[in-house]
Amino acid sequence: MTVEILTVFPEMFGSVLSASILGRAREQGLLDVRLTDIRPFSKSKHKNTDDYPFGGGAGMVMMAQPIMDAMASAVSRLPGARRIYLGPRGRKLTTEVARELAGEESLILLCGHYEGVDQRALDTCVDEEISIGDYILTGGELAAMVLTDCVARFIPGVLGSAESAEEESFSDGLLEYPQYTRPRDLDGMAVPDVLLNGDHAKIRRWRRRESLAATLRYRPDLLESACLTAEDRKMLKELENECSFEN
Ligand code: 4GY
């Protein structure tokens, strides 16, 4: 998959895209991230990319012209790419949205800054706005990194096939079970016995139960849309009963 990011701060992306799993995905050619600086596209004398808002008010607005030209340039390299603006008005980024975007051949991500972007650029150069959450960042760059990271996990080969994004937690709509590694005893805190006995059917049941228990406790809202078997529902009933004894 190719992701082209339009930004006035391309230097923000280096370490995030080079480290760990994203770095490996890029080395393996599974993910191609291109950073395009919007500034050189400005036709103003000092290569400005922002200007005062019509109607007055604090802060600056990103000018339409440099963005529209940077976008046209990106589209010429990636015809048919899905063009996304990162902003709080958008559809919320979820596992489903990430999976959907991972099915695209290419994405163009537009990062806003300052007080926002001239609405005419948004109206003409993006297909949709996506939000990573209900808060305002200083710019869309961090949101573009979050989106790229979370979409990359759904590209086949980016995670091992065993630990693929489809395998875990949020993909069946439940929270993850607790994980442990060495040592078996950490200052008197033991790893649950069931994980040490090598009974894999039993381990699977225990983990499923822990996933259900964590979800019931921390995010009961997720149970409404989770993918649950008859056995899951039985375990949930038991957990609900146990929990009503505790309270
Ligand atoms: N939240 N989700 C977000 C954001 C910063 C509009 C310019 C968000 O995706 N992007 O806060 N982006 C933008 C917001 C003005 C800065």
Side-chain angles (χ1 to χ4, degrees), residues 60 62 85-92 110-117 129-144:
M60 303 294 272
M62 286 180 81
Y85 174 65
L86 284 308
R89 296 180 294 201
R91 172 160 71 126
K92 203 72 66 69
L110 172 62
C111 303
H113 231 94
Y114 317 111
E115 296 307 305
V117 172
E129 182 164 333
I130 290 182
S131 168
I132 65 161
D134 290 337
Y135 39 78
I136 314 293
L137 301 167
T138 58
E141 285 77 11
L142 286 166

Side-chain angles (χ1 to χ4, degrees), residues 185-190:
D185 183 298
L186 178 68
D187 301 330
M189 293 181 288

Side-chain angles (χ1 to χ4, degrees), residues 137-237:
L137 301 167
T138 58
E141 285 77 11
L142 286 166
M145 291 185 234
V146 167
L147 184 145
T148 302
D149 186 272
C150 140
V151 168
R153 299 177 69 261
F154 286 94
I155 299 171
V158 166
L159 303 180
S161 55
E163 71 262 47
S164 96
E166 301 296 349
E167 285 291 302
E168 43 152 56
S169 184
F170 265 101
S171 62
D172 58 11
L174 297 177
L175 297 179
E176 200 55 280
Y177 49 80
Q179 300 272 21
Y180 300 88
T181 185
R182 293 190 291 180
R184 278 175 67 152
D185 183 298
L186 178 68
D187 301 330
M189 293 181 288
V191 172
D193 268 331
V194 59
L195 300 177
L196 307 172
N197 294 338
D199 182 341
H200 295 290
K202 205 167 166 195
I203 291 172
R204 236 187 329 273
R205 268 198 308 279
W206 180 85
R207 286 179 164 170
R208 192 66 182 176
R209 194 183 163 83
E210 289 295 321
S211 277
L212 290 163
T215 312
L216 183 62
R217 173 157 192 192
Y218 298 108
R219 292 294 307 279
D221 57 300
L222 296 177
L223 290 171
E224 323 242 324
S225 43
C227 220
L228 300 177
T229 65
E231 202 190 339
D232 289 336
R233 292 181 196 284
K234 191 170 146 233
M235 272 197 241
L236 259 179
K237 285 239 170 63

Side-chain angles (χ1 to χ4, degrees), residues 4 6 68 70-72 74-76 78-86 101 104 106-110 121-130:
E4 178 153 344
L6 310 184
M68 292 170 73
M71 185 60 86
V75 169
S76 75
L78 300 172
R82 188 123 152 216
R83 301 164 303 169
I84 295 166
Y85 174 65
L86 284 308
L101 294 178
E104 298 281 342
S106 46
L107 304 176
I108 299 172
L109 307 182
L110 172 62
L122 299 182
D123 290 344
T124 57
C125 328
V126 302
D127 297 307
E128 66 180 315
E129 182 164 333
I130 290 182

